[in-house]
Amino acid sequence: MAGSTKHPLFGFLPRNVTAKQVQGVVEGNENPFTRLPHSPQYRKILEARKKLPVFAQMDEFYKMFTKHQIIVMVGETGSGKTTQIPQFVVYSDMPQTKNKIVACTQPRRVAAMSVAKRVADEMDVQLGRQVGYSIRFEDMTEPGTTFLKYMTDGMLLREAMNDPDLQRYSTIILDEAHERTLATDILMGLLKALVKRRKDLKIIIMSATLDALKFQKYFTIDDPAPLFKVPGRTHPVEIFYTQEPEPDYVEAAIRTVLMIHRAEEPGDILLFLTGEEEIEDACRKIKIEADDLIAQDPDTVGPLSCIPLYSSLPPQQQQRIFDPAPSPRVPGGPPGRKVVISTNIAETSLTIDGIVYVVDPGFSKQKIYNPRIRVESLLVSPISKASAQQRAGRAGRTRPGKCFRLYTEKDFMKELEEQTHPEILRSNLANTVLELVKAGIKDLVRFDYVDAPAPETLMRALELLNYLAALDDDGNLTSMGSMMSEFPLDPQMSKMLIVSPEFHCSQEILAIVAMLSVPNVWLRPNNQRKEADAAKQLLTVPDGDHLTLLNVFNEYQNNLHDRNWSWNNYLSARSLSQADNVRSQLLRIMERLEIGVVTKSYEDQTRHYMNIRKALVCGFFMQVAHKEGEKGSYITIKDNQAVSLHPSCGLDTQPEWVLFNEFVLTTRAYIRTVTDIRAEWLLELTANYYDLGSFPDGEAKLALQRVLKKQIGKNAKAAGPDRDKPLKKKPKTS
Ligand code: ADP
Ligand code: MG
């Protein structure tokens, strides 16, 4: 270390650090970040950390990290990548000494939160101070103090929009890159360009499966990026298939879990299902049936605990996956078992130790986008072979395991895709395009994508942004677009917020947008459906579901956020409190952008509601359906999809024109969260889109033409016989 000054904190130089030095620090008596003695919990966790495969390779890691600007890293799930590597980097980068941050991105909010908590414990610091996390609508970091930040990839992408050089960061780790989320894919493109401008910035791409070669090649600067491989420490997993396809995978899954519990050696079970409702339902059923089994045969069947895991579950409840299996009911009795029922989160993002059995029905919820009809939907779809292998791997972490695939071997070989399609190929890109344009990327077609999206999808995004007046006809960002990009929302929603003052209803639109940004607020427990529906009826505004959401939010405020009130009205207190939090954050953005936050009290509530509905039209004018034929069937505007009102819809009639928030595809196509609107507003407020000259022929066009004619007639009468000026056609807000 000749000629260099010793660092005051550790006595070694950043970036030339060796594993021995770091081990000296972590084993030391004093916490280098807080200067306090290490706690007993720290020592206990350290012993466990030292056993992780990654820990054994610290020296090798430092050698590669010092030498290269970009590293691609692969390793089995559970080997310690997510929790350890960012800490290794901290000891080398020393971000705390130069006001920089080490960022580690996660595709999922749950993972960002829970890993940050774990790492704060591992480093013996307080979560939200030295180690923090940042997810949409929740920033658990302390400026100036936080030097290790776990964040969703979406949040880092938003930051890149305003600071394309990402100056705050010394190292950026993109974790779970194999998941190929939209944000991670775009970040890879941005970082690839950025490393040329910022020679001091280091990048680590971490991935669980073996598609590392693709990333290595993609990150070829002079040579392909080097590969850092953490050898797995996995045990063999025996795979079982069903003889025949299972007609009902949930029922088959429950049956299999109970079969394992009754017949197999001790060891915990991990069952993959697709979403919250399915998971909660399965938990309930398994508990009931397990109790029956125990009652029949208390001497051989032990207690079974069922633990759900999905992303909208609050963090304390997510921690339950780490609880040990239940003890035998009586000393020496049959041992207990834990079954975790999880969405895809447990596939790679979160590691649960002690799993010996995996039950894999072969499905997950996946986003699908059809650019032709501009519909993005979440569909329960077959997983890929890579996913199936990953799932099976979860069983071999602690000892040899078994994986029960609830599909035939033939289906596995013939029907499943090799890899899950990258999200960029199956998403609506409106938001992404706006972010890229804001980040200064002009040529979206020639951007260096890992996998390029379909040109039609890009075109659709540009078209939407142009109609929303966020981009001009040449694709340049307008001042409206620049403002819109400040909101962490879909462009339709930010547009609505920005125009809301013109309709004297910003407070109301704020509340509606907040309510649309959180998980469903309506609770509908299986055994109290009638009561729940009756409670909902009392809060329903017949003009539209958006107004109903507003009403619920206002009542929640009037009742001072009382959890009992929520409970009594079958509303989720958790979602409501989240909505309240989202609202305050959006309010802050509006204030910063100096968008007037106004509301006007009307004697006449109908008029007030009308204004709110008009503001909704300014954002969602492309999500409109027209009633055609009898029996309440609707056809979506321009795309001509036949849809029905979702059963949850609270409209008391079937209006001719409706605006909807969501297209839901189950056995039928539904539109959900629907509001009654008028054709006049469409023609008046969004004349660009509703230009009848280019509107596709059909009943909707005829109806619009009739309305236009009537209006012209009325105007002509008012202005006298000479007037033949066309109606004002420019959108009000561009
Ligand atoms: P990888 O990213 O390689 O999949 P992780 O760094 O996420 O691995 O996890 C390594 C190990 O750390 C896990 O196998 C588990 O034993 C432990 N671990 C991680 N998070 C927690 C937690 N919240 N509570 C207890 N143990 C945890
Ligand atoms: Mg990980």
Side-chain angles (χ1 to χ4, degrees):
M1 293 193 188
S4 54
T5 41
K6 275 193 171 182
H7 191 272
L9 206 53
F10 299 140
F12 55 72
L13 265 181
R15 291 250 149 114
N16 285 326
V17 57
T18 63
K20 208 167 149 213
Q21 288 169 314
V22 171
Q23 272 153 11
V25 174
V26 297
E27 298 274 9
N29 290 325
E30 187 185 270
N31 184 322
F33 309 109
T34 59
R35 315 227 78 167
L36 297 169
H38 279 137
S39 65
Q41 183 196 309
Y42 171 88
R43 299 235 168 262
K44 195 173 150 219
I45 300 182
L46 182 60
E47 287 316 304
R49 286 170 60 199
K50 279 166 34 188
K51 294 191 191 109
L52 292 171
V54 162
F55 225 81
Q57 282 177 287
M58 197 191 283
D59 227 357
E60 225 179 306
F61 173 78
Y62 281 129
K63 280 191 189 121
M64 194 180 275
F65 185 65
T66 309
K67 200 165 151 209
H68 297 274
Q69 196 178 3
I70 307 177
I71 300 179
V72 174
M73 178 162 179
V74 290
E76 267 301 313
T77 304
S79 56
K81 297 182 300 299
T82 308
T83 51
Q84 306 311 308
I85 294 295
Q87 297 186 64
F88 290 5
V89 170
V90 161
Y91 285 109
S92 167
D93 271 9
M94 306 267 260
Q96 73 279 19
T97 64
K98 37 184 194 199
N99 240 333
K100 298 258 178 197
I101 300 174
V102 171
C104 178
T105 66
Q106 296 294 319
R108 302 161 201 277
R109 301 158 55 93
V110 193
M113 289 191 282
S114 83
V115 170
K117 168 85 182 65
R118 169 71 178 182
V119 172
D121 288 346
E122 290 190 1
M123 292 176 78
D124 223 3
V125 299
Q126 209 183 321
L127 179 65
R129 302 215 57 214
Q130 290 87 348
V131 176
Y133 66 83
S134 167
I135 60 181
R136 192 170 77 135
F137 298 125
E138 195 180 341
D139 185 10
M140 263 297 257
T141 63
E142 194 176 294
T145 308
T146 303
F147 56 76
L148 174 52
K149 175 158 86 172
Y150 286 90
M151 65 203 299
T152 50
D153 46 8
M155 288 305 287
L156 187 63
L157 185 54
R158 291 201 68 80
E159 283 192 28
M161 197 173 78
N162 287 316
D163 174 16
D165 282 0
L166 292 165
Q167 281 298 347
R168 305 164 65 191
Y169 300 97
S170 58
T171 293
I172 291 170
I173 304 167
L174 298 185
D175 198 2
E176 314 284 2
H178 62 273
E179 285 209 21
R180 303 295 307 276
T181 58
L182 179 52
T184 294
D185 262 27
I186 299 287
L187 279 169
M188 286 198 265
L190 294 175
L191 292 178
K192 186 175 173 183
L194 179 55
V195 288
K196 291 181 203 134
R197 300 198 298 273
R198 273 197 59 195
K199 289 288 176 203
D200 62 317
L201 179 72
K202 299 239 174 186
I203 310 288
I204 302 177
I205 310 291
M206 298 205 293
S207 139
T209 40
L210 290 171
D211 33 32
L213 195 61
K214 180 159 186 158
F215 297 136
Q216 282 185 278
K217 276 200 192 133
Y218 178 73
F219 284 102
T220 298
I221 304 297
D222 294 316
D223 297 305
L227 180 68
F228 187 84
K229 212 167 155 192
V230 187
R233 205 184 35 189
T234 48
H235 303 270
V237 176
E238 201 177 346
I239 306 227
F240 300 90
Y241 293 93
T242 55
Q243 293 299 313
E244 296 293 326
E246 289 287 353
D248 177 345
Y249 69 85
V250 179
E251 183 273 328
I254 294 172
R255 188 168 14 94
T256 308
V257 165
L258 293 162
M259 180 275 291
I260 295 170
H261 186 47
R262 200 171 34 201
E264 296 282 344
E265 295 288 299
D268 298 331
I269 307 173
L270 174 60
L271 162 61
F272 287 99
L273 289 179
T274 64
E276 165 170 357
E277 213 175 307
E278 206 174 77
I279 289 173
E280 290 291 356
D281 208 41
C283 270
R284 239 184 335 264
K285 287 185 178 144
I286 291 177
K287 268 182 210 146
I288 295 172
E289 299 213 16
D291 284 346
D292 275 357
L293 278 184
I294 295 167
Q296 285 163 20
D297 199 355
D299 295 336
T300 56
V301 184
L304 186 70
S305 67
C306 255
I307 300 168
L309 177 63
Y310 44 84
S311 51
S312 57
L313 208 62
Q316 314 87 287
Q317 284 188 45
Q318 282 163 15
Q319 277 303 111
R320 285 186 56 213
I321 58 169
F322 298 108
D323 290 352
S327 325
R329 276 183 317 277
V330 289
R337 197 191 299 267
K338 164 169 95 174
V339 43
V340 176
I341 308 184
S342 172
T343 59
N344 251 358
I345 306 178
E347 204 174 287
T348 55
S349 299
L350 292 179
T351 312
I352 312 155
D353 296 328
I355 299 293
V356 178
Y357 305 98
V358 164
V359 180
D360 172 19
F363 291 97
S364 70
K365 254 191 201 152
Q366 290 167 33
K367 191 157 75 179
I368 311 241
Y369 179 63
N370 180 340
R372 268 199 34 246
I373 57 168
R374 282 176 287 127
V375 168
E376 190 179 79
S377 34
L378 270 179
L379 279 186
V380 171
S381 323
I383 59 172
S384 64
K385 280 196 187 112
S387 262
Q389 257 139 16
Q390 193 65 47
R391 286 180 174 191
R394 312 292 74 238
R397 283 262 306 138
T398 28
R399 60 183 163 91
K402 292 183 181 174
C403 173
F404 298 87
R405 292 186 173 153
L406 305 180
Y407 36 92
T408 63
E409 185 163 13
K410 193 166 139 241
D411 280 349
F412 173 81
M413 299 306 291
K414 294 237 167 89
E415 302 295 327
L416 299 192
E417 302 266 356
E418 286 302 321
Q419 297 280 346
T420 314
H421 276 299
E423 194 184 3
I424 194 167
L425 306 182
R426 12 178 211 101
S427 302
N428 169 358
L429 295 180
N431 227 338
T432 310
V433 166
L434 186 61
E435 283 168 336
L436 282 173
V437 174
K438 181 83 196 277
I441 308 295
K442 292 255 153 55
D443 192 345
L444 292 162
V445 177
R446 253 169 286 167
F447 182 73
D448 191 357
Y449 300 96
V450 184
D451 281 293
E456 194 175 6
T457 305
L458 278 175
M459 224 179 62
R460 284 302 192 180
L462 291 166
E463 179 193 61
L464 169 68
L465 292 168
N466 182 237
Y467 279 122
L468 287 168
L471 299 181
D472 66 18
D473 291 345
D474 300 322
N476 299 312
L477 195 66
T478 61
S479 55
M480 167 62 79
S482 175
M483 260 203 271
M484 281 165 62
S485 70
E486 294 290 319
F487 292 92
L489 296 170
D490 278 343
Q492 292 98 324
M493 299 234 214
S494 36
K495 174 77 181 233
M496 232 156 66
L497 276 174
I498 296 169
V499 302
S500 63
E502 291 175 42
F503 298 91
H504 314 289
C505 58
S506 353
Q507 291 288 5
E508 291 74 10
I509 294 293
L510 260 175
I512 292 172
V513 169
M515 290 288 277
L516 292 174
S517 305
V518 300
N520 184 16
V521 295
W522 308 103
L523 301 178
R524 205 160 174 262
N526 265 342
N527 49 354
Q528 294 174 37
R529 293 218 157 140
K530 261 207 192 119
E531 292 85 341
D533 291 346
K536 182 174 176 184
Q537 189 57 42
L538 290 177
L539 289 162
T540 297
V541 178
D543 297 352
D545 299 331
H546 296 82
L547 294 169
T548 299
L549 289 176
L550 170 64
N551 189 36
V552 169
F553 187 80
N554 287 341
E555 286 299 311
Y556 174 67
Q557 303 284 32
N558 293 341
N559 285 281
L560 308 171
H561 305 177
D562 179 7
R563 296 186 75 89
N564 285 327
W565 176 83
S566 308
W567 181 253
N568 292 335
N569 286 283
Y570 293 88
L571 292 164
S572 155
R574 194 195 329 146
S575 288
L576 285 167
S577 115
Q578 245 175 303
D580 190 47
N581 174 17
V582 169
R583 200 198 76 97
S584 349
Q585 300 204 33
L586 294 174
L587 179 63
R588 251 174 277 149
I589 301 177
M590 284 180 75
E591 285 167 351
R592 177 160 57 79
L593 297 176
E594 296 179 351
I595 299 169
V597 179
V598 293
T599 182
K600 196 166 169 182
S601 54
Y602 286 95
E603 297 279 301
D604 179 3
Q605 197 185 38
T606 318
R607 234 181 96 205
H608 186 40
Y609 277 173
M610 199 131 93
N611 273 330
I612 298 171
R613 287 150 66 199
K614 284 184 177 176
L616 293 173
V617 166
C618 289
F620 284 95
F621 52 88
M622 287 167 94
Q623 286 171 220
V624 166
H626 181 240
K627 186 165 88 169
E628 290 179 14
E630 293 310 307
K631 289 191 297 191
S633 52
Y634 283 81
I635 303 286
T636 59
I637 285 302
K638 292 199 183 180
D639 309 322
N640 293 322
Q641 293 298 298
V643 292
S644 314
L645 303 181
H646 193 265
S648 67
C649 170
L651 289 175
D652 60 351
T653 57
Q654 287 171 347
E656 184 178 358
W657 297 90
V658 292
L659 169 153
F660 59 93
N661 184 58
E662 233 183 320
F663 182 101
V664 188
L665 201 58
T666 53
T667 42
R668 289 168 65 179
Y670 288 107
I671 48 180
R672 186 159 58 196
T673 315
V674 175
T675 283
D676 177 2
I677 56 160
R678 307 231 177 113
E680 290 88 323
W681 304 342
L682 299 171
L683 293 168
E684 211 180 282
L685 301 170
T686 57
N688 265 340
Y689 191 67
Y690 286 87
D691 172 16
L692 294 186
S694 59
F695 204 90
D697 287 336
E699 276 188 52
K701 181 172 180 171
L702 293 175
L704 288 165
Q705 274 168 338
R706 278 196 297 275
V707 174
L708 195 60
K709 225 186 223 160
K710 229 199 273 168
Q711 274 182 341
I712 293 174
K714 247 196 241 162
N715 284 0
K717 239 188 236 159
D722 291 344
R723 180 185 158 141
D724 64 351
K725 264 208 236 146
L727 272 174
K728 200 170 123 197
K729 265 201 154 186
K730 273 268 152 238
K732 228 176 162 172
T733 50
S734 45

